């Protein structure tokens, strides 16, 4: 079981977005970057274009839950900083489609060299 810590520092988030590998699909963007901390860290954000506060909070909760479920099923992932950004397609994505997209990206991350 992999438990992700929160990626809190804005400098770390910005560094992950500028220096990291970009992945994702219609529902979310994902940037990943190796870290020296030794644990998986995660930040989830939304943009104002997604809607009001309620819509943005719902999008963040849906993304966090999809990631939580997928990470719970994984034995190990490399020490990475992950930044997930909700896109407008997230509002229309079903829970199954969102989870499948997250699973595909987590599988891709698991294959990265340590």
């Amino acid at each position: 079981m992999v438990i992700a810590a929160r990626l809190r520092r804005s400098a770390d988030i910005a560094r992950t977005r500028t220096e990291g590998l970009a992945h994702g699909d219609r529902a979310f963007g994902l940037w990943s970057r190796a870290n020296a901390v030794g644990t998986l860290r995660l930040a989830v954000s939304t943009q104002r274009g997604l809607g009001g506060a309620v819509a943005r909070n719902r999008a963040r909760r849906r993304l966090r839950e999809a990631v939580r479920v997928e990470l719970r099923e994984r034995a190990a992932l490399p020490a990475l900083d992950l930044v997930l950004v909700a896109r407008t397609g997230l509002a229309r994505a079903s829970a199954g489609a969102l989870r499948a997209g997250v699973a595909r990206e987590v599988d891709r991350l698991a294959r990265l060299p340590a």
Side-chain angles (χ1 to χ4, degrees):
M1 175 189 317
V2 177
I3 298 174
R6 288 189 57 192
L7 181 59
R8 295 177 181 262
R9 293 183 54 217
S10 59
D12 291 338
I13 293 169
R15 189 174 307 116
T16 301
R17 289 201 60 179
T18 58
E19 298 174 7
L21 298 173
H23 306 284
D25 63 7
R26 290 190 126 135
F28 63 91
L30 171 68
W31 286 264
S32 62
R33 179 179 172 272
N35 69 35
V37 179
T39 61
L40 184 71
R41 300 188 301 176
L42 174 69
V44 178
S45 70
T46 56
Q47 299 170 345
R48 289 187 186 255
L50 201 61
V54 173
R56 293 192 312 268
N57 288 335
R58 181 176 292 128
R60 282 192 293 269
R61 283 194 307 269
R62 289 185 71 200
L63 267 177
R64 265 192 240 111
E65 178 63 13
V67 170
R68 184 189 67 78
V69 168
E70 289 305 318
L71 291 182
R72 186 180 61 207
E73 297 175 358
R74 303 298 190 267
L77 281 175
L80 296 169
D81 288 341
L82 302 177
V83 176
L84 281 160
V85 178
R87 293 183 175 156
T88 55
L90 181 69
R92 292 182 303 277
S94 68
L98 179 59
R99 188 163 167 220
V102 169
R104 182 176 53 253
E105 296 305 327
V106 169
D107 287 341
R108 182 180 294 167
L109 293 173
R111 292 190 301 268
L112 290 176

